[in-house]
Coordinates of all heavy atoms in Angstrom, one line a residue:
M18 N -44.9 -28.1 -209.8 CA -44.5 -29.4 -210.2 C -43.8 -30.1 -208.9 O -43.1 -29.5 -208.2 CB -43.5 -29.3 -211.3 CG -43.1 -30.7 -212.0 SD -44.5 -31.5 -212.6 CE -44.0 -33.2 -212.5
A19 N -44.1 -31.3 -208.7 CA -43.8 -32.0 -207.5 C -42.3 -32.4 -207.3 O -41.6 -32.4 -208.3 CB -44.6 -33.3 -207.4
F20 N -42.0 -32.7 -206.1 CA -40.7 -33.3 -205.8 C -40.7 -34.7 -206.4 O -41.7 -35.3 -206.5 CB -40.5 -33.3 -204.3 CG -39.9 -31.9 -203.8 CD1 -40.7 -30.8 -203.9 CD2 -38.7 -31.9 -203.1 CE1 -40.2 -29.5 -203.5 CE2 -38.2 -30.6 -202.7 CZ -39.0 -29.5 -202.9
V21 N -39.4 -35.2 -206.6 CA -39.3 -36.5 -207.2 C -38.3 -37.3 -206.5 O -37.2 -36.8 -206.0 CB -38.8 -36.3 -208.7 CG1 -38.6 -37.7 -209.3 CG2 -39.8 -35.5 -209.5
I22 N -38.6 -38.6 -206.2 CA -37.6 -39.5 -205.6 C -37.0 -40.3 -206.7 O -37.6 -40.7 -207.7 CB -38.4 -40.5 -204.6 CG1 -39.0 -39.7 -203.5 CG2 -37.4 -41.5 -204.1 CD1 -39.8 -40.6 -202.5
G23 N -35.6 -40.4 -206.6 CA -34.9 -41.0 -207.7 C -34.2 -42.3 -207.2 O -34.4 -42.9 -206.2
E24 N -33.2 -42.7 -208.1 CA -32.5 -44.0 -207.9 C -31.9 -44.3 -206.6 O -32.0 -45.5 -206.2 CB -31.4 -44.0 -209.0 CG -30.7 -45.3 -209.2 CD -29.5 -45.5 -208.3 OE1 -29.0 -44.4 -207.8 OE2 -28.9 -46.6 -208.2
P25 N -31.4 -43.3 -205.8 CA -30.8 -43.8 -204.6 C -31.8 -44.4 -203.6 O -31.4 -45.1 -202.7 CB -30.3 -42.4 -204.0 CG -30.1 -41.5 -205.2 CD -31.2 -41.9 -206.1
C26 N -33.0 -44.2 -203.8 CA -34.1 -44.8 -202.9 C -34.2 -46.3 -203.1 O -34.7 -47.1 -202.2 CB -35.4 -44.1 -203.0 SG -36.7 -44.7 -201.9
I27 N -34.0 -46.7 -204.4 CA -34.2 -48.1 -204.8 C -33.5 -49.1 -203.8 O -32.3 -49.0 -203.6 CB -33.8 -48.4 -206.2 CG1 -34.7 -47.6 -207.2 CG2 -34.0 -49.9 -206.5 CD1 -34.4 -47.8 -208.6
D28 N -34.2 -50.0 -203.2 CA -33.7 -51.0 -202.3 C -33.1 -50.5 -201.0 O -32.6 -51.2 -200.2 CB -32.7 -51.9 -203.0 CG -33.2 -52.7 -204.2 OD1 -34.5 -52.9 -204.2 OD2 -32.5 -53.0 -205.1
V29 N -33.3 -49.1 -200.8 CA -32.9 -48.5 -199.5 C -34.1 -48.2 -198.7 O -34.3 -48.7 -197.5 CB -32.0 -47.3 -199.8 CG1 -31.7 -46.5 -198.5 CG2 -30.7 -47.6 -200.5
M30 N -35.0 -47.4 -199.2 CA -36.3 -47.2 -198.6 C -36.2 -46.8 -197.1 O -36.8 -47.5 -196.3 CB -37.2 -48.4 -198.8 CG -37.5 -48.7 -200.3 SD -38.5 -50.2 -200.6 CE -40.1 -49.7 -200.1
D31 N -35.4 -45.8 -196.8 CA -35.2 -45.4 -195.5 C -36.5 -45.0 -194.8 O -36.6 -45.2 -193.5 CB -34.2 -44.2 -195.5 CG -34.0 -43.7 -194.1 OD1 -33.2 -44.3 -193.3 OD2 -34.6 -42.6 -193.8
R32 N -37.4 -44.4 -195.5 CA -38.7 -44.0 -195.0 C -38.8 -42.7 -194.1 O -39.8 -42.4 -193.6 CB -39.5 -45.1 -194.3 CG -39.8 -46.3 -195.2 CD -40.5 -47.4 -194.6 NE -40.8 -48.5 -195.4 CZ -40.0 -49.5 -195.7 NH1 -38.7 -49.5 -195.3 NH2 -40.4 -50.5 -196.5
S33 N -37.6 -42.1 -193.8 CA -37.7 -40.9 -193.0 C -38.5 -39.8 -193.6 O -39.1 -39.0 -193.0 CB -36.3 -40.3 -192.9 OG -35.4 -41.2 -192.3
C34 N -38.6 -39.8 -195.0 CA -39.3 -38.8 -195.7 C -40.8 -38.8 -195.3 O -41.5 -37.8 -195.3 CB -39.1 -38.9 -197.2 SG -39.5 -40.6 -197.8
I35 N -41.3 -40.0 -195.1 CA -42.8 -40.2 -194.9 C -43.2 -39.4 -193.6 O -44.2 -38.8 -193.6 CB -43.1 -41.7 -194.6 CG1 -42.9 -42.5 -195.9 CG2 -44.5 -41.9 -194.1 CD1 -43.1 -44.0 -195.8
E36 N -42.3 -39.4 -192.6 CA -42.6 -38.8 -191.3 C -42.8 -37.2 -191.5 O -43.5 -36.6 -190.8 CB -41.5 -39.0 -190.3 CG -41.1 -40.5 -190.1 CD -42.2 -41.2 -189.5 OE1 -42.9 -40.7 -188.6 OE2 -42.5 -42.3 -189.9
E37 N -42.0 -36.7 -192.5 CA -42.1 -35.2 -192.7 C -43.2 -34.7 -193.5 O -43.5 -33.5 -193.4 CB -40.7 -34.8 -193.4 CG -39.5 -35.2 -192.6 CD -39.4 -34.6 -191.2 OE1 -39.8 -33.4 -191.0 OE2 -39.0 -35.3 -190.3
C38 N -43.8 -35.5 -194.3 CA -44.7 -35.0 -195.3 C -46.1 -34.6 -194.7 O -46.7 -35.4 -194.1 CB -45.0 -36.0 -196.5 SG -46.1 -35.4 -197.7
P39 N -46.5 -33.3 -194.8 CA -47.7 -32.9 -194.1 C -48.9 -33.4 -194.8 O -50.0 -33.3 -194.2 CB -47.5 -31.3 -194.1 CG -46.7 -31.1 -195.4 CD -45.7 -32.3 -195.5
V40 N -48.8 -33.8 -196.0 CA -50.0 -34.2 -196.8 C -50.0 -35.7 -197.1 O -50.9 -36.2 -197.9 CB -50.2 -33.4 -198.1 CG1 -50.6 -31.9 -197.7 CG2 -49.1 -33.4 -199.0
D41 N -49.1 -36.5 -196.5 CA -49.0 -37.9 -196.8 C -49.0 -38.3 -198.3 O -49.7 -39.3 -198.7 CB -50.1 -38.6 -196.1 CG -50.1 -38.5 -194.6 OD1 -48.9 -38.6 -194.0 OD2 -51.1 -38.4 -193.9
C42 N -48.2 -37.6 -199.0 CA -48.2 -37.9 -200.5 C -47.1 -38.7 -201.0 O -46.8 -38.9 -202.1 CB -48.3 -36.6 -201.3 SG -46.8 -35.6 -201.2
I43 N -46.4 -39.3 -200.0 CA -45.2 -40.2 -200.3 C -45.7 -41.7 -200.1 O -46.0 -42.0 -199.0 CB -44.0 -39.9 -199.5 CG1 -43.6 -38.5 -199.6 CG2 -42.8 -40.8 -200.0 CD1 -42.4 -38.0 -198.7
Y44 N -45.7 -42.4 -201.2 CA -46.3 -43.8 -201.1 C -45.2 -44.9 -201.3 O -44.4 -44.7 -202.1 CB -47.3 -43.9 -202.2 CG -48.6 -43.1 -202.1 CD1 -48.5 -41.7 -202.3 CD2 -49.8 -43.6 -201.8 CE1 -49.6 -40.9 -202.2 CE2 -50.9 -42.8 -201.7 CZ -50.8 -41.4 -201.9 OH -51.9 -40.6 -201.8
E45 N -45.4 -45.9 -200.6 CA -44.5 -47.1 -200.7 C -44.8 -47.9 -201.9 O -45.9 -48.3 -202.2 CB -44.7 -47.9 -199.4 CG -43.3 -48.0 -198.7 CD -43.4 -48.8 -197.5 OE1 -43.8 -48.3 -196.4 OE2 -43.0 -50.0 -197.5
G46 N -43.7 -48.3 -202.6 CA -43.8 -49.3 -203.7 C -43.0 -50.5 -203.2 O -42.7 -50.7 -202.1
G47 N -42.7 -51.4 -204.1 CA -42.0 -52.6 -203.8 C -40.5 -52.3 -203.6 O -39.9 -52.9 -202.6
R48 N -39.8 -51.5 -204.5 CA -38.4 -51.3 -204.3 C -38.1 -49.9 -203.9 O -36.9 -49.6 -203.6 CB -37.7 -51.6 -205.7 CG -37.7 -53.1 -206.1 CD -36.9 -53.2 -207.3 NE -35.4 -53.2 -207.1 CZ -34.5 -53.1 -208.0 NH1 -34.9 -53.1 -209.3 NH2 -33.2 -52.9 -207.7
M49 N -39.0 -49.0 -204.0 CA -38.8 -47.6 -203.7 C -40.1 -46.8 -203.3 O -41.1 -47.5 -203.3 CB -38.1 -46.9 -204.8 CG -38.9 -46.6 -206.1 SD -38.1 -45.7 -207.4 CE -38.2 -44.0 -206.7
L50 N -39.9 -45.6 -202.9 CA -41.1 -44.8 -202.6 C -41.4 -43.8 -203.7 O -40.5 -43.5 -204.4 CB -41.0 -44.1 -201.2 CG -41.4 -45.0 -200.0 CD1 -40.3 -46.1 -199.8 CD2 -41.5 -44.2 -198.8
Y51 N -42.7 -43.4 -203.8 CA -43.1 -42.5 -204.9 C -43.8 -41.3 -204.3 O -44.7 -41.5 -203.5 CB -44.0 -43.2 -205.9 CG -43.4 -44.4 -206.5 CD1 -43.5 -45.7 -205.9 CD2 -42.6 -44.3 -207.7 CE1 -43.0 -46.8 -206.5 CE2 -42.0 -45.5 -208.3 CZ -42.2 -46.7 -207.7 OH -41.6 -47.8 -208.2
I52 N -43.5 -40.1 -204.8 CA -44.2 -38.9 -204.4 C -45.3 -38.7 -205.5 O -45.0 -38.7 -206.7 CB -43.2 -37.7 -204.4 CG1 -42.2 -37.9 -203.3 CG2 -44.1 -36.4 -204.2 CD1 -41.1 -36.8 -203.2
H53 N -46.5 -38.6 -205.0 CA -47.6 -38.4 -205.9 C -47.5 -37.0 -206.5 O -47.5 -36.0 -205.9 CB -49.0 -38.4 -205.1 CG -50.1 -38.6 -206.0 ND1 -50.5 -37.7 -207.0 CD2 -51.0 -39.7 -206.2 CE1 -51.5 -38.2 -207.6 NE2 -51.8 -39.4 -207.2
P54 N -47.4 -37.0 -207.9 CA -47.1 -35.7 -208.6 C -48.2 -34.7 -208.5 O -47.9 -33.5 -208.6 CB -46.9 -36.2 -210.1 CG -47.6 -37.6 -210.2 CD -47.5 -38.2 -208.8
D55 N -49.4 -35.1 -208.2 CA -50.5 -34.1 -208.1 C -50.8 -33.8 -206.6 O -51.4 -32.7 -206.3 CB -51.8 -34.6 -208.7 CG -51.5 -34.9 -210.2 OD1 -50.8 -34.1 -210.8 OD2 -52.1 -35.8 -210.7
E56 N -50.5 -34.6 -205.7 CA -50.8 -34.4 -204.3 C -49.7 -33.6 -203.5 O -49.9 -33.0 -202.5 CB -51.1 -35.7 -203.6 CG -52.3 -36.5 -204.1 CD -52.6 -37.8 -203.4 OE1 -51.8 -38.2 -202.5 OE2 -53.6 -38.4 -203.7
C57 N -48.5 -33.7 -204.1 CA -47.3 -33.0 -203.4 C -47.6 -31.5 -203.5 O -48.0 -30.9 -204.5 CB -46.1 -33.3 -204.2 SG -44.6 -32.4 -203.6
I58 N -47.4 -30.8 -202.4 CA -47.6 -29.3 -202.3 C -46.3 -28.6 -202.4 O -46.3 -27.3 -202.0 CB -48.5 -28.9 -201.1 CG1 -47.8 -29.4 -199.8 CG2 -49.9 -29.5 -201.2 CD1 -48.4 -28.8 -198.5
D59 N -45.2 -29.2 -202.7 CA -43.9 -28.6 -202.8 C -43.4 -27.9 -201.6 O -42.8 -26.8 -201.6 CB -44.0 -27.5 -204.0 CG -43.8 -28.2 -205.4 OD1 -43.3 -29.3 -205.4 OD2 -44.3 -27.5 -206.3
C60 N -43.7 -28.5 -200.4 CA -43.3 -27.9 -199.2 C -41.8 -28.0 -198.9 O -41.2 -27.3 -198.1 CB -44.1 -28.4 -198.0 SG -43.6 -30.1 -197.5
A61 N -41.1 -29.0 -199.5 CA -39.7 -29.2 -199.3 C -39.3 -29.9 -198.0 O -38.1 -30.1 -197.8 CB -38.9 -28.0 -199.6
A62 N -40.2 -30.2 -197.2 CA -39.8 -30.8 -195.9 C -39.1 -32.1 -196.0 O -38.3 -32.5 -195.2 CB -41.1 -31.0 -195.0
C63 N -39.4 -33.0 -197.0 CA -38.9 -34.2 -197.2 C -37.4 -34.3 -197.6 O -36.6 -35.1 -197.2 CB -39.7 -35.1 -198.1 SG -39.9 -34.3 -199.8
E64 N -37.1 -33.3 -198.5 CA -35.7 -33.3 -199.1 C -34.6 -33.5 -198.2 O -33.7 -34.3 -198.4 CB -35.6 -32.1 -200.0 CG -34.3 -32.2 -200.8 CD -34.1 -30.9 -201.7 OE1 -34.9 -29.9 -201.6 OE2 -33.1 -30.8 -202.3
P65 N -34.4 -32.6 -197.1 CA -33.2 -32.7 -196.3 C -33.1 -34.0 -195.4 O -32.0 -34.2 -194.9 CB -33.3 -31.4 -195.5 CG -34.7 -31.0 -195.5 CD -35.3 -31.5 -196.7
V66 N -34.2 -34.7 -195.2 CA -34.1 -35.8 -194.3 C -33.7 -37.1 -194.9 O -33.4 -38.1 -194.2 CB -35.5 -36.0 -193.5 CG1 -35.8 -34.7 -192.7 CG2 -36.6 -36.5 -194.4
C67 N -33.7 -37.2 -196.2 CA -33.3 -38.4 -196.8 C -31.8 -38.6 -196.7 O -31.0 -37.8 -197.2 CB -33.7 -38.5 -198.3 SG -33.1 -40.0 -199.1
P68 N -31.4 -39.7 -196.1 CA -29.9 -39.9 -195.8 C -29.1 -40.2 -197.1 O -27.9 -40.1 -197.1 CB -29.9 -41.1 -194.9 CG -31.2 -41.8 -195.1 CD -32.2 -40.8 -195.5
V69 N -29.8 -40.6 -198.2 CA -29.1 -40.9 -199.5 C -29.4 -39.9 -200.5 O -29.1 -40.1 -201.7 CB -29.4 -42.3 -199.9 CG1 -28.8 -43.4 -199.0 CG2 -30.9 -42.6 -200.1
E70 N -29.9 -38.7 -200.1 CA -30.2 -37.6 -201.1 C -31.0 -38.1 -202.3 O -30.7 -37.8 -203.4 CB -28.9 -36.9 -201.5 CG -28.2 -36.3 -200.3 CD -27.0 -35.6 -200.6 OE1 -26.7 -35.2 -201.8 OE2 -26.2 -35.2 -199.7
A71 N -32.0 -38.9 -202.0 CA -32.8 -39.4 -203.1 C -34.0 -38.5 -203.6 O -34.7 -38.8 -204.5 CB -33.4 -40.8 -202.7
I72 N -34.2 -37.3 -202.9 CA -35.3 -36.5 -203.2 C -34.9 -35.1 -203.8 O -34.0 -34.5 -203.3 CB -36.2 -36.2 -202.0 CG1 -36.5 -37.5 -201.3 CG2 -37.4 -35.5 -202.3 CD1 -37.3 -37.4 -200.0
R73 N -35.5 -34.8 -204.9 CA -35.2 -33.5 -205.6 C -36.4 -32.8 -206.0 O -37.4 -33.4 -206.4 CB -34.4 -33.7 -206.9 CG -33.0 -34.2 -206.6 CD -32.2 -34.2 -207.9 NE -30.9 -34.8 -207.8 CZ -30.1 -35.1 -208.7 NH1 -30.4 -34.8 -210.0 NH2 -28.9 -35.6 -208.5
P74 N -36.3 -31.4 -205.9 CA -37.5 -30.6 -206.5 C -37.4 -30.7 -208.1 O -36.3 -31.0 -208.6 CB -37.2 -29.2 -206.1 CG -35.7 -29.2 -205.8 CD -35.3 -30.5 -205.5
A75 N -38.5 -30.5 -208.7 CA -38.6 -30.6 -210.2 C -37.5 -29.7 -210.8 O -37.1 -30.1 -211.8 CB -40.0 -30.1 -210.6
Q76 N -37.2 -28.6 -210.3 CA -36.2 -27.7 -210.9 C -34.9 -28.4 -211.0 O -34.0 -28.0 -211.8 CB -36.1 -26.4 -210.2 CG -37.3 -25.6 -209.8 CD -38.0 -26.1 -208.6 OE1 -38.7 -27.0 -208.6 NE2 -37.7 -25.4 -207.5
R77 N -34.6 -29.3 -210.1 CA -33.3 -30.0 -210.1 C -33.3 -31.4 -210.7 O -32.4 -32.2 -210.5 CB -32.6 -30.0 -208.7 CG -32.2 -28.6 -208.3 CD -31.3 -28.6 -207.0 NE -30.8 -29.9 -206.6 CZ -31.2 -30.5 -205.5 NH1 -32.1 -29.9 -204.7 NH2 -30.7 -31.6 -205.1
V78 N -34.4 -31.7 -211.5 CA -34.5 -33.0 -212.1 C -33.6 -32.9 -213.4 O -33.9 -32.1 -214.3 CB -35.9 -33.3 -212.5 CG1 -36.0 -34.5 -213.5 CG2 -36.6 -33.7 -211.2
N79 N -32.6 -33.6 -213.5 CA -31.7 -33.6 -214.7 C -32.0 -34.9 -215.5 O -32.9 -35.6 -215.2 CB -30.2 -33.6 -214.2 CG -29.8 -34.8 -213.4 OD1 -30.5 -35.7 -213.2 ND2 -28.6 -34.7 -212.9
E80 N -31.2 -35.1 -216.5 CA -31.5 -36.3 -217.4 C -31.5 -37.6 -216.6 O -32.3 -38.5 -216.9 CB -30.4 -36.3 -218.5 CG -30.9 -35.8 -219.8 CD -29.9 -35.8 -220.9 OE1 -29.3 -36.9 -221.1 OE2 -29.7 -34.8 -221.4
D81 N -30.6 -37.8 -215.6 CA -30.5 -39.0 -214.9 C -31.9 -39.2 -214.1 O -32.3 -40.3 -213.9 CB -29.4 -39.0 -213.9 CG -28.1 -39.1 -214.6 OD1 -28.1 -39.4 -215.8 OD2 -27.0 -38.9 -213.9
W82 N -32.4 -38.1 -213.6 CA -33.5 -38.1 -212.7 C -34.9 -38.2 -213.5 O -35.9 -38.6 -213.0 CB -33.6 -36.9 -211.8 CG -33.7 -37.2 -210.4 CD1 -34.9 -37.0 -209.7 CD2 -32.8 -37.6 -209.4 NE1 -34.8 -37.3 -208.4 CE2 -33.5 -37.6 -208.1 CE3 -31.5 -38.0 -209.5 CZ2 -32.8 -38.1 -207.0 CZ3 -30.8 -38.4 -208.3 CH2 -31.5 -38.4 -207.1
R83 N -34.8 -37.8 -214.8 CA -36.1 -37.6 -215.5 C -36.9 -38.9 -215.6 O -38.1 -38.9 -215.5 CB -35.8 -37.1 -216.9 CG -37.1 -36.5 -217.6 CD -36.9 -35.5 -218.7 NE -35.9 -34.5 -218.4 CZ -36.1 -33.4 -217.7 NH1 -37.3 -33.2 -217.1 NH2 -35.1 -32.5 -217.5
P84 N -36.3 -40.1 -215.8 CA -37.1 -41.3 -215.9 C -37.9 -41.6 -214.6 O -38.9 -42.1 -214.6 CB -36.0 -42.4 -216.1 CG -34.9 -41.8 -216.6 CD -34.8 -40.4 -216.1
F85 N -37.3 -41.1 -213.5 CA -38.0 -41.3 -212.2 C -39.2 -40.3 -212.1 O -40.2 -40.6 -211.4 CB -37.0 -41.2 -211.0 CG -36.1 -42.3 -211.0 CD1 -34.8 -42.2 -211.6 CD2 -36.4 -43.5 -210.4 CE1 -33.9 -43.2 -211.6 CE2 -35.5 -44.6 -210.5 CZ -34.3 -44.4 -211.0
Q86 N -39.1 -39.1 -212.7 CA -40.2 -38.2 -212.8 C -41.4 -38.9 -213.5 O -42.5 -38.9 -213.2 CB -39.8 -37.0 -213.4 CG -40.8 -35.8 -213.3 CD -40.2 -34.5 -213.8 OE1 -39.5 -34.5 -214.8 NE2 -40.4 -33.4 -213.1
E87 N -41.0 -39.5 -214.6 CA -42.0 -40.3 -215.4 C -42.6 -41.5 -214.7 O -43.8 -41.7 -214.7 CB -41.4 -40.7 -216.8 CG -41.2 -39.5 -217.7 CD -40.2 -39.8 -218.8 OE1 -39.9 -40.9 -219.1 OE2 -39.7 -38.8 -219.3
T88 N -41.8 -42.3 -214.0 CA -42.3 -43.4 -213.3 C -43.1 -43.0 -212.1 O -44.1 -43.7 -211.7 CB -41.2 -44.3 -212.7 OG1 -40.2 -43.6 -212.1 CG2 -40.5 -45.1 -213.9
S89 N -42.9 -41.8 -211.6 CA -43.7 -41.3 -210.5 C -45.1 -41.1 -210.9 O -46.1 -41.4 -210.2 CB -43.3 -39.9 -209.9 OG -42.0 -40.0 -209.4
R90 N -45.3 -40.7 -212.2 CA -46.6 -40.5 -212.7 C -47.2 -41.9 -213.1 O -48.3 -42.2 -212.8 CB -46.6 -39.6 -214.0 CG -47.8 -38.9 -214.3 CD -47.6 -37.7 -215.2 NE -47.4 -36.5 -214.4 CZ -48.3 -35.8 -213.7 NH1 -49.5 -36.3 -213.6 NH2 -48.0 -34.7 -213.1
E91 N -46.4 -42.7 -213.7 CA -46.8 -44.0 -214.1 C -47.3 -44.9 -212.9 O -48.2 -45.7 -213.0 CB -45.6 -44.7 -214.7 CG -46.0 -45.8 -215.8 CD -44.7 -46.5 -216.3 OE1 -43.6 -45.8 -216.5 OE2 -44.7 -47.7 -216.6
A92 N -46.6 -44.7 -211.8 CA -46.9 -45.5 -210.6 C -48.3 -45.3 -210.1 O -48.9 -46.2 -209.5 CB -45.9 -45.2 -209.5
F93 N -48.9 -44.1 -210.4 CA -50.2 -43.8 -209.9 C -51.3 -44.0 -211.0 O -52.5 -43.6 -210.8 CB -50.3 -42.4 -209.3 CG -49.4 -42.3 -208.1 CD1 -48.1 -41.8 -208.1 CD2 -49.9 -42.8 -206.8 CE1 -47.3 -41.7 -207.0 CE2 -49.1 -42.7 -205.7 CZ -47.8 -42.2 -205.8
A94 N -50.9 -44.5 -212.1 CA -51.9 -44.6 -213.3 C -53.1 -45.4 -212.9 O -54.2 -45.1 -213.2 CB -51.2 -45.1 -214.5
E95 N -52.8 -46.5 -212.2 CA -54.0 -47.4 -211.8 C -54.8 -46.9 -210.6 O -56.0 -46.9 -210.7 CB -53.4 -48.8 -211.4 CG -53.3 -49.7 -212.6 CD -52.8 -51.1 -212.2 OE1 -53.1 -51.5 -211.1 OE2 -52.0 -51.7 -213.1
I96 N -54.1 -46.3 -209.6 CA -54.8 -46.0 -208.4 C -55.3 -44.5 -208.4 O -56.0 -44.1 -207.5 CB -54.1 -46.3 -207.1 CG1 -52.7 -45.6 -207.0 CG2 -53.8 -47.8 -207.0 CD1 -52.1 -45.7 -205.7
G97 N -54.8 -43.7 -209.3 CA -55.2 -42.3 -209.4 C -54.7 -41.5 -208.2 O -53.6 -41.6 -207.8
S98 N -55.6 -40.8 -207.6 CA -55.2 -39.9 -206.5 C -55.9 -40.3 -205.2 O -57.0 -40.0 -204.9 CB -55.6 -38.4 -206.9 OG -54.9 -37.5 -206.1
P99 N -55.3 -41.2 -204.4 CA -55.9 -41.7 -203.2 C -56.2 -40.7 -202.1 O -56.9 -41.0 -201.1 CB -55.0 -42.8 -202.7 CG -54.1 -43.1 -203.9 CD -53.9 -41.7 -204.6
G100 N -55.5 -39.5 -202.1 CA -55.7 -38.5 -201.1 C -54.9 -38.7 -199.9 O -55.2 -38.2 -198.8
G101 N -53.8 -39.5 -200.0 CA -52.9 -39.7 -198.8 C -52.6 -41.2 -198.7 O -53.4 -42.0 -198.9
S102 N -51.3 -41.5 -198.4 CA -50.9 -42.9 -198.3 C -51.6 -43.7 -197.2 O -51.8 -44.9 -197.4 CB -49.4 -42.9 -198.0 OG -49.0 -42.2 -196.9
P103 N -52.2 -43.1 -196.1 CA -53.0 -43.9 -195.2 C -54.2 -44.5 -195.9 O -54.8 -45.5 -195.4 CB -53.4 -43.0 -194.1 CG -52.4 -41.8 -194.2 CD -52.1 -41.7 -195.6
N104 N -54.6 -44.0 -197.0 CA -55.8 -44.5 -197.7 C -55.5 -45.7 -198.7 O -56.4 -46.2 -199.3 CB -56.4 -43.4 -198.6 CG -57.0 -42.3 -197.7 OD1 -57.3 -42.5 -196.5 ND2 -56.9 -41.1 -198.2
V105 N -54.2 -46.1 -198.7 CA -53.9 -47.3 -199.5 C -53.4 -48.4 -198.6 O -52.7 -48.1 -197.6 CB -52.9 -47.1 -200.6 CG1 -53.4 -46.1 -201.7 CG2 -51.6 -46.6 -200.1
T106 N -53.9 -49.6 -198.8 CA -53.5 -50.7 -197.9 C -52.4 -51.5 -198.4 O -51.8 -52.3 -197.6 CB -54.8 -51.6 -197.7 OG1 -55.3 -52.0 -199.0 CG2 -55.9 -50.9 -197.0
Q107 N -52.0 -51.4 -199.7 CA -50.9 -52.3 -200.2 C -49.9 -51.4 -200.9 O -50.2 -50.3 -201.4 CB -51.4 -53.2 -201.2 CG -52.3 -54.3 -200.6 CD -52.6 -55.4 -201.5 OE1 -52.7 -55.2 -202.7 NE2 -52.9 -56.6 -201.0
P108 N -48.6 -51.9 -200.9 CA -47.6 -51.1 -201.7 C -48.0 -51.0 -203.2 O -48.7 -51.8 -203.7 CB -46.4 -52.0 -201.5 CG -46.6 -52.9 -200.5 CD -48.1 -53.1 -200.3
I109 N -47.6 -49.9 -203.7 CA -47.9 -49.6 -205.1 C -47.0 -50.5 -206.0 O -45.9 -50.8 -205.6 CB -47.5 -48.1 -205.5 CG1 -48.6 -47.3 -204.8 CG2 -47.5 -47.9 -206.9 CD1 -48.3 -45.8 -205.0
K110 N -47.5 -51.0 -207.1 CA -46.7 -51.9 -208.0 C -45.7 -51.0 -208.7 O -46.0 -49.9 -209.3 CB -47.7 -52.5 -209.1 CG -47.0 -53.5 -209.9 CD -48.1 -54.2 -210.8 CE -47.4 -55.1 -211.8 NZ -47.7 -54.7 -213.2
D111 N -44.4 -51.4 -208.6 CA -43.4 -50.7 -209.3 C -43.6 -50.7 -210.8 O -43.7 -51.7 -211.4 CB -42.0 -51.3 -209.0 CG -41.6 -51.1 -207.5 OD1 -41.8 -50.0 -206.9 OD2 -41.1 -52.1 -206.9
P112 N -43.4 -49.5 -211.4 CA -43.4 -49.5 -212.9 C -42.2 -50.3 -213.4 O -41.2 -50.5 -212.7 CB -43.3 -48.0 -213.3 CG -43.8 -47.3 -212.1 CD -43.4 -48.1 -210.9
A113 N -42.3 -50.8 -214.6 CA -41.3 -51.8 -215.2 C -39.9 -51.2 -215.0 O -38.9 -51.8 -214.7 CB -41.6 -52.1 -216.6
F114 N -39.8 -49.9 -215.3 CA -38.4 -49.2 -215.3 C -37.8 -49.4 -213.9 O -36.6 -49.7 -213.8 CB -38.5 -47.7 -215.6 CG -37.2 -47.0 -215.5 CD1 -36.4 -47.0 -216.5 CD2 -36.9 -46.3 -214.3 CE1 -35.1 -46.4 -216.5 CE2 -35.7 -45.6 -214.3 CZ -34.8 -45.6 -215.4
V115 N -38.6 -49.3 -212.8 CA -38.0 -49.5 -211.5 C -37.9 -51.0 -211.1 O -36.9 -51.4 -210.6 CB -38.9 -48.8 -210.4 CG1 -38.5 -49.1 -209.0 CG2 -39.0 -47.3 -210.7
A116 N -38.9 -51.8 -211.5 CA -38.9 -53.2 -211.2 C -37.6 -53.9 -211.8 O -37.1 -54.7 -211.2 CB -40.1 -53.9 -211.7
Q117 N -37.2 -53.4 -213.0 CA -36.1 -54.1 -213.7 C -34.8 -53.3 -213.5 O -33.7 -53.7 -214.0 CB -36.4 -54.1 -215.2 CG -37.6 -55.1 -215.5 CD -38.3 -54.8 -216.8 OE1 -37.7 -54.1 -217.6 NE2 -39.4 -55.3 -217.0
Y118 N -34.8 -52.3 -212.7 CA -33.6 -51.4 -212.6 C -32.5 -52.2 -211.9 O -32.7 -52.8 -210.9 CB -33.9 -50.2 -211.8 CG -32.9 -49.1 -211.9 CD1 -32.9 -48.1 -212.9 CD2 -31.8 -49.1 -211.0 CE1 -31.9 -47.2 -213.0 CE2 -30.8 -48.1 -211.1 CZ -30.9 -47.2 -212.1 OH -29.9 -46.2 -212.2
E119 N -31.3 -52.2 -212.5 CA -30.2 -52.8 -211.9 C -29.3 -51.8 -211.3 O -28.8 -50.9 -212.0 CB -29.4 -53.6 -212.9 CG -30.2 -54.9 -213.3 CD -29.3 -55.8 -214.2 OE1 -28.1 -55.8 -214.1 OE2 -30.0 -56.5 -215.1
K120 N -29.1 -51.9 -210.0 CA -28.3 -50.8 -209.4 C -26.8 -51.1 -209.7 O -26.4 -52.3 -209.7 CB -28.5 -50.9 -207.8 CG -29.9 -50.3 -207.5 CD -30.0 -49.8 -206.1 CE -29.3 -48.7 -205.6 NZ -30.0 -47.7 -204.8
P121 N -26.0 -50.0 -209.9 CA -24.6 -50.3 -210.2 C -23.8 -50.9 -209.0 O -24.2 -50.7 -207.9 CB -24.0 -48.9 -210.6 CG -25.1 -48.0 -210.2 CD -26.4 -48.6 -209.9
Ligands
LIG133 FE1 -36.3 -43.3 -199.9 FE2 -34.9 -41.4 -198.8 FE3 -37.4 -41.6 -198.3 S1 -34.2 -43.5 -199.2 S2 -37.9 -43.8 -198.5 S3 -36.5 -41.2 -200.3 S4 -35.9 -41.0 -196.9
LIG134 FE1 -44.1 -32.9 -201.4 FE2 -42.1 -33.6 -199.8 FE3 -43.7 -31.8 -199.0 S1 -43.4 -34.9 -201.0 S2 -45.6 -32.2 -199.9 S3 -42.4 -31.7 -200.8 S4 -42.8 -33.3 -197.8

């Protein structure tokens, strides 16, 4: 099960994680980035580089993080599995949960 990006990434989008991913499975959306749930190989390289601790492995997904695990899947419903972020030319459309999310 893949790593998941959560709420701290929204409107921050530091992008350091992208540089670390060996399989380019971290894709840009409008307000945050999404890890492709099927393309991620669980290497863990991205987790320590995020300055706002927005990345967690599936084992550490708690109730707060779970909606983001679901939106990670929803985000790719239309485009499927592009085989790496260089293969997409536009940001992914944020699922409604993220688009409407109000940060505290
Ligand atoms: Fe977001 Fe952190 Fe990556 S803020 S873009 S998950 S480095
Ligand atoms: Fe997945 Fe992060 Fe590695 S997104 S493939 S665990 S760099």
